[in-house]
Amino acid sequence: MSPRQWLEFTQFAATLGDGFDPNITDIEYGSNNWDKNSSWKKYLLYYMFYSGKYLVYPTFPDNKSITTHHVEPSEHFPVKPSEDRLRVELRPALLELSDLSTMIAKCKNLDWREMPVFDMSHRMIADKARDLSSFA
């Protein structure tokens, strides 16, 4: 998210009242099951869905990631999990910087119009973005 997009989102979020529940009512979506106080992402997803915004997120080989979390004790993790559980279950394997650099170089020649498009429930809605009139 660019700084401008983040500012737009935070300005939108600031207009919501305390009783606002950001369920996405037009589709069945997993975040509708989250407690509205448990994650700012629920508000971001609501904003993106009803604003017609989208997120481009790559799938890396072997489900590796470029980010991770530290699983500090919180609502979702009342007690810090054991190191074994962290390593095996909760922390994704990270891409090496050299692998990421290689992948970025390969991506420079990709045409987003040729990429598949998935909805917020991760159902493929188009084989290629160019097939959707909203992306044309």
Side-chain angles (χ1 to χ4, degrees):
M1 218 176 206
S2 73
R4 180 185 53 78
Q5 292 165 329
W6 182 253
L7 179 62
E8 288 173 6
F9 164 65
T10 56
Q11 288 172 338
F12 164 80
T15 67
L16 305 175
D18 288 339
F20 182 79
D21 187 5
N23 278 338
I24 298 172
T25 56
D26 294 337
I27 61 170
E28 188 172 322
Y29 190 59
S31 70
N32 288 344
N33 299 322
W34 303 347
D35 175 12
K36 68 179 184 174
N37 299 314
S38 69
S39 176
W40 62 269
K41 284 193 297 185
K42 184 169 184 169
Y43 292 85
L44 177 64
L45 294 170
Y46 178 94
Y47 169 72
M48 289 173 61
F49 183 80
Y50 288 110
S51 301
K53 302 206 182 292
Y54 55 92
L55 173 69
V56 176
Y57 190 84
T59 301
F60 295 109
D62 302 320
N63 291 320
K64 289 188 176 181
S65 179
I66 57 174
T67 63
T68 190
H69 53 83
H70 300 286
V71 195
E72 292 91 355
S74 63
E75 179 177 340
H76 301 293
F77 296 99
V79 177
K80 187 164 179 122
S82 70
E83 283 301 316
D84 285 342
R85 182 166 181 230
L86 282 173
R87 185 174 50 258
V88 174
E89 296 178 41
L90 302 174
R91 283 198 186 131
L94 296 175
L95 279 173
E96 295 294 327
L97 188 56
S98 59
D99 293 337
L100 184 58
S101 298
T102 301
M103 292 184 77
I104 289 171
K106 288 180 182 178
C107 289
K108 288 182 180 179
N109 296 323
L110 290 178
D111 183 348
W112 64 268
R113 293 168 292 204
E114 297 299 315
M115 294 181 183
V117 179
F118 297 86
D119 69 11
M120 292 178 73
S121 297
H122 201 68
R123 292 179 295 236
M124 184 182 284
I125 59 173
D127 226 14
K128 298 179 186 290
R130 68 179 157 82
D131 296 337
L132 295 174
S133 60
S134 61
F135 284 96

